[in-house]
Every structure is written in structure tokens, then in C-alpha cells.
Amino acid sequence: LELANTRIKRLPRQLKNMQRLQSIYVLNNTPRGPLRLAKSKTVKTLGIRSNDPSSLPRSYKAMPAIEKLD
């Protein structure tokens, strides 16, 4: 899943129902405040590209299967 040029504040809750989803990339997101992650036990790769460090998630506990974080 790739989300580019967005202003999302949180990833959709429906992600936990996507059993085959293994990678999420959020590119050039400009939310007001930190991005909130949805719970997912299958996502292994999470890539977030932003110019603003304050837009990074405060915690990655919602995605315990993460092996690669960029």
C-alpha cells in the first residue's frame, strides 16, 4: 500500500482486516501532528518519508511484526 501526497492523520482501521498486506509506504504526508498507526499483525515493512519529523508516529506498538522501518 502506498499513500503519496496526502494529509492523513491516521491509517485506516480496516488495515487489520487485510491479512496479506505486508508493506505500507506513506510519502510526502503533511498531517497536523504525528501520524497514528492502525493495528496490523501482518505489516513487515513501514516506510514514511516526510520533511517534518513531528509527523512521525509516537509509537510503533500497533504493528508488532515490523522488520524494516524506513
Side-chain angles (χ1 to χ4, degrees):
L1 174 65
E2 184 175 305
L3 303 168
N5 300 319
T6 62
R7 290 184 175 217
I8 61 170
K9 296 179 183 179
R10 73 172 57 204
L11 292 178
R13 293 181 185 167
Q14 292 84 352
L15 292 180
K16 69 180 178 182
N17 298 329
M18 297 179 170
Q19 299 300 315
R20 293 183 176 209
L21 181 64
Q22 293 187 358
S23 300
I24 298 176
Y25 296 94
V26 182
L27 311 169
N28 202 22
N29 188 38
T30 55
R32 293 182 185 215
L35 178 67
R36 297 172 84 188
L37 300 178
K39 291 183 181 180
S40 174
K41 294 180 182 180
T42 61
V43 173
K44 294 182 180 181
T45 303
L46 177 62
I48 301 173
R49 296 291 171 116
S50 175
N51 292 333
D52 185 6
S54 67
S55 67
L56 294 174
R58 291 184 183 156
S59 173
Y60 299 88
K61 292 179 184 179
M63 297 184 174
I66 289 180
E67 296 173 357
K68 182 178 178 184
L69 180 61
D70 180 20

